[in-house]
Amino acid sequence: QVQLKESGPGLVAPSQSLSITCTVSGFSLISYGVHWVRQPPGKGLEWLGVIWAGGSIHYNSALMSRLTISKDNSKSQVFLEMNSLQTDDTAMYYCARGGVGNYYAMDYWGQGTSVTVSS
Amino acid sequence: DIQMTQTTSSLSASLGDRVTISCRASQDIGNYLNWYQQKPDGTVKLLIYYTSRLHSGVPSRFSGSGSGTDYSLTISTLEQEDIATYFCQLANKLPYTFGGGTKLEI
């Protein structure tokens, strides 16, 4: 079955960088894109960006200068890197599959990984 | 950027009720509107895509409608397991903005 699982550092110091890995199973990154979405505590969902099956990438323009999304198809992994973290980057970070033939919906989501930015 | 607004942030209902959750876009989004359910444990699931198409495995008590800038998600008969927060999401233009969410409570 389709599964996505995020893994991250948990705690990051202010001004440092964040790296999160999304490991997928049950489908191929050659055929599906993967989105990144985050949710600060008690707040709504914020779309961060997407890496499409063919490798093209789109970012939320508000965060584009700090974000890098990449992937390794052979390892079934997608990577999110964010630099210059501040306390308001504290959030649950999710990866989600970009469905095919469903009008750009995110059809399966990971459980999320919590990131706290604190000294 | 297109803004997505869910004017009701919290909604109280009783089991068995018919519940409707609304979402408004700041411009016509041509039915590219998706609905997601987030359970209290953080689990997120796709319910409806392209305004009214039910995602695989989603109970038929969920339905979606709308056009232009105004969209809605309806639960025909509220069940205990439907207690969650519901988000709409724009899907035809980047960034794929989400609405602020509507928390459904008993």
Side-chain angles (χ1 to χ4, degrees):
Chain A
Q1 70 275 29
V2 174
Q3 290 187 323
L4 302 94
K5 186 175 177 63
E6 307 87 347
S7 56
L11 179 66
V12 179
S15 79
Q16 297 302 300
S17 297
L18 168 69
S19 292
I20 302 175
T21 298
C22 175
T23 302
V24 309
S25 58
F27 68 97
S28 172
L29 295 177
I30 296 174
S31 301
Y32 290 86
V34 171
H35 297 260
W36 288 97
V37 176
R38 72 177 180 179
Q39 184 177 38
K43 296 188 177 181
L45 300 171
E46 179 180 28
W47 181 80
L48 300 180
V50 59
I51 185 164
W52 300 106
S56 60
I57 302 167
H58 289 102
Y59 296 106
N60 185 325
S61 57
L63 295 164
M64 185 164 55
S65 63
R66 298 199 291 136
L67 282 176
T68 302
I69 297 174
S70 60
K71 65 173 178 170
D72 185 330
N73 291 336
S74 65
K75 294 184 178 179
S76 295
Q77 292 181 323
V78 180
F79 310 102
L80 175 75
E81 297 179 341
M82 181 182 293
N83 57 36
S84 303
L85 262 67
Q86 301 302 321
T87 54
D88 58 2
D89 293 312
T90 293
M92 185 72 78
Y93 286 76
Y94 296 92
C95 58
R97 190 178 82 163
V100 172
N102 66 355
Y103 300 87
Y104 303 108
M106 302 171 201
D107 60 359
Y108 294 94
W109 292 59
Q111 64 191 18
T113 186
S114 179
V115 174
T116 300
V117 181
S118 174
S119 55
Chain B
D1 295 352
I2 297 176
Q3 305 303 312
M4 305 300 293
T5 302
Q6 294 179 246
T7 53
T8 302
S9 59
S10 179
L11 181 60
S12 183
S14 300
L15 297 180
D17 280 357
R18 180 181 181 88
V19 174
T20 297
I21 296 169
S22 299
C23 175
R24 174 168 288 175
S26 59
Q27 60 183 264
D28 188 336
I29 59 172
N31 292 109
Y32 279 82
L33 190 284
N34 306 319
W35 289 98
Y36 300 87
Q37 176 194 65
Q38 185 177 38
K39 291 290 187 73
D41 68 357
T43 303
V44 180
K45 291 184 178 179
L46 171 67
L47 297 176
I48 302 276
Y49 64 95
Y50 199 60
T51 297
S52 60
R53 303 191 184 187
L54 210 62
H55 179 55
S56 175
V58 174
S60 59
R61 63 181 180 275
F62 290 94
S63 63
S65 63
S67 64
T69 60
D70 293 316
Y71 298 85
S72 61
L73 170 72
T74 297
I75 308 172
S76 60
T77 306
L78 186 65
E79 297 192 7
Q80 183 68 40
E81 65 184 26
D82 301 334
I83 300 309
T85 301
Y86 294 85
F87 294 91
C88 61
Q89 179 237 338
L90 158 73
N92 71 334
K93 285 188 179 180
L94 298 170
Y96 293 147
T97 307
F98 292 88
T102 298
K103 186 175 183 179
L104 188 51
E105 300 172 315
I106 298 293

